[in-house]
Amino acid sequence: DQQVKQNSPSLSVQEGRISILNCDYTNSMFDYFLWYKKYPAEGPTFLISISSIKDKNEDGRFTVFLNKSAKHLSLHIVPSQPGDSAVYFCAASTPGGTSYGKLTFGQGTILTVHP
Amino acid sequence: SQTIHQWPATLVQPVGSPLSLECTVEGTSNPNLYWYRQAAGRGLQLLFYSVGIGQISSEVPQNLSASRPQDRQFILSSKKLLLSDSGFYLCAWSVWQSLATNEKLFFGSGTQLSVL
């Protein structure tokens, strides 16, 4: 049972434009959401997170939006740069799971930013 | 600074053969340690986590086992591999009871295991 889903396996964007990566979840107990970025031959690295008490969190070019009623979150990258080309994973955790790194991940979306 | 080492990067094993993947962390003490796996078309799934030497919790029933013989060493094993064990295996560590533990989940570079 896939509790966190990233339905778009890949996304291609022109440099300078906005990249929007989407993620849906089914478990209403999730209270913390994260995005990780992964380059080839490297492990995922933390990018940005959001608590369920917020609907938006911004960090430089990266903004995460959370729509709890729709059980949907999205990652916006503006402006997109070729160095942003990577696999992006959405992840979620439930209360009590937070302190143990017990995250539920999506399948990942491959973002390609063309010069 | 902290670093995590995971090897090998790729591994091809026949069905029924044993498996041993090793992960070591440097630069921190008493970390939480994790094994995650990504099967084809699926998200990263937590397999095991450990909060101390000899303490292993399994998240999903499976053909694999984990051990933590030393504070910063985490080993994933199998006595007989199945085709379904193929996937991308990631070791990770985090700071014990950090308020921002989620942000502090650090991953190794992963092992791509193909069972044929």
Side-chain angles (χ1 to χ4, degrees):
Chain A
D1 178 32
Q2 196 83 18
Q3 295 188 55
V4 177
K5 294 183 181 180
Q6 295 174 255
N7 292 317
S8 297
S10 62
L11 175 67
S12 183
V13 172
Q14 202 71 29
E15 181 179 6
R17 298 290 187 99
I18 184 172
S19 294
I20 300 177
L21 296 101
N22 294 302
C23 178
D24 297 297
Y25 61 95
T26 58
N27 188 343
S28 57
M29 296 299 292
F30 287 143
D31 71 337
Y32 200 81
F33 304 88
L34 310 90
W35 286 93
Y36 279 80
K37 176 180 178 180
K38 182 185 179 303
Y39 292 117
E42 295 182 12
T45 55
F46 170 75
L47 188 58
I48 193 170
S49 63
I50 188 167
S51 165
S52 60
I53 63 174
K54 296 184 178 181
D55 55 18
K56 177 182 174 182
N57 187 28
E58 191 172 351
D59 183 3
R61 297 185 296 113
F62 302 91
T63 303
V64 56
F65 295 92
L66 175 62
N67 183 335
K68 288 190 292 294
S69 60
K71 293 190 176 68
H72 177 84
L73 68 157
S74 60
L75 174 68
H76 292 211
I77 306 174
V78 182
S80 302
Q81 300 173 353
D84 295 329
S85 298
V87 179
Y88 289 78
F89 290 98
C90 169
S93 71
T94 56
T98 301
S99 62
Y100 295 108
K102 293 165 69 173
L103 303 179
T104 302
F105 284 84
Q107 310 96 307
T109 296
I110 302 171
L111 173 65
T112 304
V113 181
H114 298 282
Chain B
S1 63
Q2 302 90 350
T3 56
I4 179 168
H5 302 280
Q6 187 182 344
W7 66 92
T10 58
L11 189 60
V12 180
Q13 292 284 103
V15 169
S17 63
L19 172 74
S20 181
L21 300 180
E22 187 167 341
C23 170
T24 59
V25 180
E26 295 178 358
T28 187
S29 296
N30 196 30
N32 291 349
L33 295 173
Y34 312 85
W35 279 110
Y36 278 84
R37 175 177 66 193
Q38 184 176 24
R42 308 280 294 181
L44 288 165
Q45 181 184 38
L46 179 63
L47 301 178
F48 300 96
Y49 70 93
S50 171
V51 300
I53 295 174
Q55 301 179 59
I56 309 294
S57 295
S58 174
E59 287 295 294
V60 293
Q62 59 200 296
N63 182 45
L64 303 167
S65 62
S67 62
R68 185 170 177 174
Q70 299 179 39
D71 181 44
R72 289 168 287 180
Q73 184 185 30
F74 206 23
I75 298 173
L76 183 70
S77 304
S78 173
K79 292 182 179 177
K80 289 184 178 182
L81 283 169
L82 305 173
L83 288 173
S84 58
D85 292 323
S86 293
F88 186 59
Y89 289 81
L90 282 161
C91 180
W93 69 275
S94 69
V95 177
W96 170 242
Q97 290 184 334
S98 165
L99 289 176
T101 295
N102 285 321
E103 286 100 324
K104 298 297 188 284
L105 190 62
F106 298 100
F107 286 90
S109 53
T111 296
Q112 183 65 52
L113 172 65
S114 299
V115 182
L116 305 176

